Amino acid sequence: MELDFAEVKRQSPDRRVFDVLIEGQEVLPSLDVAGEVGSYAALSRTYTVRVIDGQLNVRFVTHKGYGVPIVNALRVTDRPDLLS
């Protein structure tokens, strides 16, 4: 699975901070896109995830006092070659 983030307007660092959880596992704690790559730039992260119940669960959790989470793209690819 691939997650893409970008601040598509001018944003100061430390204004939008959130956690990303996939299948109940925190994969991106305290993500601050503007703090990592600035405004008008993309941040991409890729994860290999095992889905047991047939439903992929992705959560974006706002830190108290910060702007709402953003995600610009989410790509899921079935990889039967990774089954064990």
Side-chain angles (χ1 to χ4, degrees):
M1 124 173 253
E2 182 179 321
L3 295 169
D4 296 326
F5 306 91
E7 290 289 356
V8 295
K9 63 179 186 174
R10 183 172 271 316
Q11 180 73 283
S12 300
D14 203 33
R15 301 279 299 172
R16 183 191 318 264
V17 179
F18 58 97
D19 302 326
V20 180
L21 293 86
I22 302 174
E23 289 297 303
Q25 192 101 5
E26 188 176 60
V27 296
L28 284 171
S30 300
L31 178 60
D32 177 3
V33 177
E36 285 198 36
V37 296
S39 298
Y40 310 109
L43 174 66
S44 183
R45 295 289 186 258
T46 303
Y47 301 94
T48 301
V49 179
R50 179 178 296 263
V51 177
I52 304 299
D53 61 0
Q55 179 177 334
L56 176 62
N57 297 291
V58 182
R59 288 185 55 215
F60 302 93
V61 181
T62 304
H63 282 209
K64 185 174 178 144
Y66 291 91
V68 297
I70 56 166
V71 62
N72 299 85
L74 186 148
R75 178 178 299 129
V76 178
T77 305
D78 185 22
R79 294 288 312 266
D81 58 310
L82 295 179
L83 295 176
S84 52

